[in-house]
Amino acid sequence: MKCPYCNQETTRVIDSRPADDNSSIRRRRLCDECGKRFTTYEKVETIPLIVIKKDNNREQYDRSKIEAGVLRACHKRPVSVNQINALVDEVETEIFNREEKEIESKLIGEIVMDKLKDLEAVAYVRFASVYREFKDINTFMNELKKILDK
């Protein structure tokens, strides 16, 4: 590992510990040349995931898109940032555990809705109304009835 201060390649690990819920390792390193310390992170390399959109276009998976949709749905609702992050982590875990190289955006949306339904009912309906493209009030009411029946 090159030192970011002097660019020498003679560095050594002086401390290692788990980071990010054991999904990566944080390493403190020491440069043998200049004596400065720096931190590196080691993470498992994942298979790049391709998302198949509704129009059959393909694009690389982007966590921030799920986060943005969930944040919009939870706007002005009693849902903490930690709860949102946990929900997105759960969605990601479910997606990557499928071990597929391609996944339909439709399936990702269904997983998000399933998780939101358990977290916050209003956020769920907001997300569903955009995701399922409710065309009229009847479609909206049908979705609300499903929630009320449970």
Side-chain angles (χ1 to χ4, degrees):
M1 178 66 63
K2 273 188 178 179
C3 172
Y5 303 105
C6 67
N7 283 328
Q8 293 296 316
E9 292 185 18
T10 53
T11 63
R12 56 190 153 122
V13 175
I14 55 175
D15 182 40
S16 287
R17 60 182 66 175
D20 298 330
D21 296 331
N22 288 329
S23 63
S24 64
I25 296 176
R26 177 181 181 271
R27 299 196 191 280
R28 286 294 291 161
R29 295 181 177 269
L30 174 69
C31 177
D32 292 335
E33 296 295 319
C34 69
K36 293 195 176 180
R37 294 178 181 206
F38 60 99
T39 302
T40 60
Y41 290 89
E42 185 177 312
K43 198 169 195 166
V44 173
E45 187 175 33
T46 57
I47 304 165
L49 182 64
I50 302 299
V51 177
I52 305 168
K53 307 296 281 181
K54 288 179 185 175
D55 62 1
N56 279 331
N57 281 335
R58 286 167 164 71
E59 62 182 49
Q60 192 161 351
Y61 169 78
D62 183 0
R63 176 188 171 102
S64 65
K65 289 189 174 188
I66 295 174
E67 286 174 336
V70 173
L71 276 169
R72 271 192 305 276
C74 293
H75 183 70
K76 293 189 178 184
R77 300 302 307 154
V79 180
S80 72
V81 173
N82 288 340
Q83 288 174 302
I84 292 171
N85 285 334
L87 183 141
V88 176
D89 288 343
E90 288 175 24
V91 170
E92 257 190 353
T93 300
E94 195 167 323
I95 290 169
F96 284 107
N97 282 346
R98 292 173 172 272
E99 296 181 6
E100 296 173 2
K101 293 181 180 176
E102 293 187 335
I103 188 167
E104 291 187 16
S105 62
K106 182 179 174 180
L107 180 57
I108 295 172
E110 293 295 329
I111 294 169
V112 171
M113 283 193 299
D114 189 48
K115 304 283 182 197
L116 268 175
K117 193 182 296 185
D118 297 333
L119 180 65
E120 220 281 330
V122 172
Y124 163 74
V125 173
R126 285 179 179 171
F127 189 90
S129 69
V130 173
Y131 176 74
R132 290 201 174 132
E133 299 172 346
F134 292 169
K135 301 288 185 223
D136 57 24
I137 194 71
N138 292 329
T139 320
F140 198 80
M141 289 304 294
N142 290 339
E143 198 64 37
L144 287 174
K145 285 177 187 171
K146 287 180 194 174
I147 293 172
L148 293 173
D149 290 342
K150 289 185 179 183

